Amino acid sequence: MKSIALVGTNFNIVYKPYAKIDNIHIHDSKTLLDYDIVIIGLNSGIINEYYSYSLDETYNGYPLINENTSRGFIDDIYRRREEIKSLLSIGKNIYFILGDECTCYYHTYEKNISGTGKNAKTTFIVDQIDIAKVLLGEDKIKITNSEGHNINILPNTKLTDFSKKVKEFIYFKSYFKCRFIESAVTTSNKDNVVAGLIKVSNGYKIILPEMVKESSYNKKHEKAYLDDVDFVIDSIRTLDDTLNENCDIPEWVNKIILSNEKSDYLECINIESEIQKLNERKNQIQLNLNKSFQYKKLLYSSGKELENIVQKVFLEIGFSLLPVRINRSDLNLTYKDLHFVCEIKGLTKSAGEKNSNQLQKWETEFFEDYEIHPKQILIVNAFREVPLSGRIEDSFPNQMLDYATKKEQCLITTTQLLCFYLCWLQNNKIIDDFVEQLISTNGIFNYYNNWEKYIDEIN
C-alpha cells in the first residue's frame, strides 16, 4: 500500500499508523520525500499556520505575516516547493487540492530610512506571495476564488474516471485558467477549469477541487464523513496507479489512421478548418468592437480621459484644434470660419452654475488670444456612474439656465454627442446642420435626446 502525506488539506481525520497516511503541516520538519503520494491543500489554512487573525496586522487587505514569523514562513514554503520538484523528477505524482484564497504579505527584512535625526522615518519593506502559484510552480496560472457545485467532466482525459467516481463530493472553491495545464473538469462555463493535470519531469502535477465538506464533520455524522474521506483518498490511490501505468504516446502513433476511423478523422479536419475560419472572423469582429468601445467613454469617464475622447470625436467629424493655454480651457475648436471654446466635465451629479462660470472665463481668454468671441459649449457627462436608463434627473438644472442663456452658452451632454456621432457615421452630410444647431443654441441643446434610438441596454 502506498504511503500518503496529507499536507494542509481539509480532510479532518487522525489516521492510524497502519493506514500509511499522515497529516503534515507546511511548517513541520518532516520531509515529503518519504512518501509515495503527496496531497497538498492550497488554501488559507497554510496562512493560518503562521498568522493570527486576532493579533497580527493586515496589508492592502491581505494578512501580513509578522516580522518574527516571516523568515520561517518563506523558508518553509520554498523548502516544500523544492521537495515537490524532487518528487516529480523521480516519477512521483503531486496532487494539489485548490481551495480558497492563499495570498498574503510577509516581511522581507529590508527597510528604507528617510529623513535624518529626530525626523528619520523607517519603512519596513513587505512583499506579496500567492502560495498556490509558488507551490504549483506555475506563475502564469490565473486563479479565481469562487465557490460552486455545478461541474462539467470532460471525456477521455486521464482524470475522467476518477472525477466521475468522486463527483458527488466535489464542491470547488476556486477555478483557474492556464494554457499549460490539460483540462479535465470545468465549471458550467468550460473556460473555467476546476481540475486538470500537467506532465512535469517524470511525474504529474494534478490540480483537484475541494472534496468532502469539512462542515459535515461532527459527532452525529462522524462515520459518514470518515467513510467519504476514505473513499476519496482510496480513489486518489487508484488514480495514482493508473497514471503510473499509462505509457507516453509516441508522436508517430498520432500520425496513423485506422480504417474504421478515417471518415471521422476527415470530418474532424473539416470541422477544425471551419472553426479556424470562424475564429478568424470572430477576431476581426472583436477588433472592431474593441475599437468602438473607446466611444463608450463618453458615457462613464471623467477628467483627461473624457477630454481626450471628446476631442477625438470632434476631430473625426471635421473640426480642427486651436492651441490652448496650459491648464486652462479644455478644448478650443474651429469649423470652417467658426470658433468654439469648450469646458468638458465628467460628474456624478448634474452640472452647475460654477461650470458655466468656468466656461465664461475660457471665453474671455480665447478673446484675449485671438480677438474673436467664440461660441461657448459646456459638454457634461452628468450622473456618469448611473446607467443611462436611470439618468432621470436634469443634467442642466433650472438654477443655472438663466446665466448660461445670457452668456449664449450651448449646454450639451456627452450622451447627445455620442448619439450625433453614431448618426454621423451613417451620414457624414449632417455635420453642417449639427454645427448650425450648436451655434444657434443658447441654453440646453435639444437635439439627439433619444439615446435609445442609437444605444441598446442589454438586460
Side-chain angles (χ1 to χ4, degrees):
M1 180 184 294
K2 290 182 176 180
S3 59
I4 298 178
L6 299 176
V7 186
T9 69
N10 285 326
F11 295 140
N12 190 2
I13 292 182
V14 178
Y15 277 98
K16 302 295 183 182
Y18 63 79
K20 291 191 175 182
I21 300 176
D22 291 332
N23 286 297
I24 297 177
H25 293 99
I26 290 289
H27 72 264
D28 288 343
S29 59
K30 193 167 188 178
T31 181
L32 304 182
L33 300 177
D34 290 343
Y35 295 87
D36 299 310
I37 299 173
V38 174
I39 304 172
I40 301 175
L42 302 176
N43 54 62
S44 58
I46 296 176
I47 299 174
N48 295 339
E49 293 183 36
Y50 305 87
Y51 177 83
S52 171
Y53 280 87
S54 60
L55 299 175
D56 293 333
E57 300 176 13
T58 61
Y59 186 82
N60 284 345
Y62 292 99
L64 171 59
I65 308 299
N66 68 50
E67 194 171 2
N68 294 330
T69 314
S70 285
R71 189 173 303 283
F73 165 69
I74 288 298
D75 288 347
D76 291 338
I77 294 296
Y78 283 93
R79 170 170 61 94
R80 294 307 189 191
R81 189 170 82 161
E82 290 305 311
E83 289 180 342
I84 290 168
K85 289 181 180 178
S86 297
L87 289 167
L88 290 167
S89 69
I90 61 175
K92 293 185 179 179
N93 307 312
I94 309 294
Y95 299 83
F96 299 93
I97 297 181
L98 192 59
D100 57 357
E101 185 174 63
C102 48
T103 297
C104 64
Y105 280 83
Y106 64 94
H107 284 269
T108 65
Y109 300 100
E110 298 177 2
K111 57 186 178 181
N112 287 334
I113 300 177
S114 59
T116 57
K118 294 181 179 180
N119 295 323
K121 180 180 179 182
T122 302
T123 302
F124 295 95
I125 307 300
V126 300
D127 200 2
Q128 187 183 63
I129 182 172
D130 187 327
I131 300 171
K133 288 186 178 182
V134 172
L135 293 180
L136 282 168
E138 299 292 340
D139 293 336
K140 301 294 184 182
I141 192 171
K142 181 181 179 183
I143 300 172
T144 301
N145 303 111
S146 183
E147 297 189 30
H149 290 274
N150 294 330
I151 59 171
N152 176 50
I153 299 175
L154 304 183
N156 304 320
T157 74
K158 293 180 176 65
L159 300 183
T160 299
D161 291 340
F162 166 80
S163 301
K164 289 179 179 178
K165 284 174 64 177
V166 301
K167 181 179 180 180
E168 65 177 292
F169 304 110
I170 292 175
Y171 69 107
F172 63 86
K173 287 188 175 180
S174 300
Y175 54 79
F176 63 91
K177 295 179 182 180
C178 183
R179 63 188 183 92
F180 303 110
I181 297 175
E182 177 187 344
S183 303
V185 181
T186 69
T187 67
S188 52
N189 179 344
K190 294 186 179 181
D191 291 332
N192 301 325
V193 186
V194 297
L197 76 170
I198 181 174
K199 182 77 171 177
V200 180
S201 299
N202 298 310
Y204 285 98
K205 288 192 289 190
I206 301 100
I207 303 178
L208 301 174
E210 286 283 6
M211 292 170 285
V212 189
K213 280 194 175 181
E214 189 179 8
S215 59
S216 65
Y217 181 70
N218 56 57
K219 290 297 181 183
K220 185 176 181 181
H221 302 101
E222 182 178 30
K223 185 178 186 307
Y225 174 82
L226 296 176
D227 288 345
D228 292 345
V229 173
D230 280 338
F231 179 81
V232 169
I233 292 178
D234 284 343
S235 298
I236 291 177
R237 269 197 171 112
T238 302
L239 170 62
D240 198 70
D241 291 336
T242 303
L243 290 173
N244 290 338
E245 289 173 359
N246 289 344
C247 298
D248 290 335
I249 301 173
E251 184 63 29
W252 61 265
V253 173
N254 293 322
K255 297 179 180 179
I256 62 175
I257 305 171
L258 304 181
S259 59
N260 64 331
E261 64 180 12
K262 187 171 184 179
S263 61
D264 289 339
Y265 175 79
L266 294 174
E267 185 175 358
C268 280
I269 291 177
N270 290 334
I271 291 172
E272 285 295 334
S273 177
E274 290 299 318
I275 290 173
Q276 183 177 349
K277 292 177 183 176
L278 288 172
N279 280 333
E280 289 174 355
R281 183 183 171 195
K282 178 186 174 183
N283 290 339
Q284 184 56 55
I285 293 172
Q286 189 62 55
L287 286 174
N288 294 338
L289 288 173
N290 292 344
K291 182 179 178 182
S292 177
F293 186 87
Q294 63 184 313
Y295 298 99
K296 295 180 183 179
K297 294 177 182 179
L298 290 166
L299 305 177
Y300 70 86
S301 65
S302 63
K304 199 65 180 176
E305 187 175 30
L306 182 62
E307 293 169 19
N308 289 340
I309 191 60
V310 169
Q311 176 178 301
K312 179 176 175 61
V313 168
F314 275 111
L315 291 178
E316 281 192 47
I317 63 179
F319 283 71
S320 299
L321 293 179
L322 282 176
V324 298
R325 298 183 187 183
I326 297 176
N327 296 326
R328 307 306 288 171
S329 63
D330 294 331
L331 197 60
N332 290 345
L333 298 167
T334 63
Y335 182 81
K336 297 181 179 178
D337 59 346
L338 301 172
H339 296 76
F340 304 83
V341 62
C342 304
E343 169 73 354
I344 303 167
K345 299 297 291 185
L347 303 169
T348 57
K349 54 185 180 180
S350 65
E353 190 170 308
K354 64 179 181 179
N355 303 125
S356 288
N357 284 330
Q358 189 66 63
L359 179 57
Q360 179 59 40
K361 291 180 182 179
W362 303 151
E363 193 275 345
T364 301
E365 290 186 359
F366 191 103
F367 181 77
E368 292 172 355
D369 292 340
Y370 298 103
E371 296 184 352
I372 297 173
H373 286 290
K375 177 64 180 179
Q376 301 178 54
I377 307 178
L378 177 59
I379 305 170
V380 172
N381 182 16
F383 307 104
R384 65 184 184 85
E385 295 178 350
V386 179
L388 295 182
S389 57
R391 300 183 189 184
I392 55 177
E393 297 182 49
D394 293 333
S395 296
F396 304 102
N398 288 332
Q399 53 265 37
M400 69 176 293
L401 294 185
D402 285 345
Y403 180 86
T405 303
K406 288 176 182 177
K407 297 299 181 180
E408 298 183 346
Q409 295 177 350
C410 175
L411 312 179
I412 182 173
T413 67
T414 52
T415 304
Q416 290 172 293
L417 181 60
L418 176 59
C419 290
F420 165 74
Y421 175 74
L422 295 173
C423 189
W424 174 83
L425 289 175
Q426 304 300 318
N427 179 12
N428 294 168
K429 295 180 180 180
I430 64 172
I431 179 61
D432 287 336
D433 288 340
F434 177 68
V435 173
E436 176 58 32
Q437 291 161 355
L438 292 175
I439 291 290
S440 60
T441 296
N442 296 325
I444 295 176
F445 187 79
N446 283 317
Y447 305 89
Y448 302 98
N449 285 315
N450 185 14
W451 60 265
E452 292 171 309
K453 183 177 178 182
Y454 307 95
I455 303 169
D456 291 327
E457 278 191 331
I458 301 174
N459 295 324

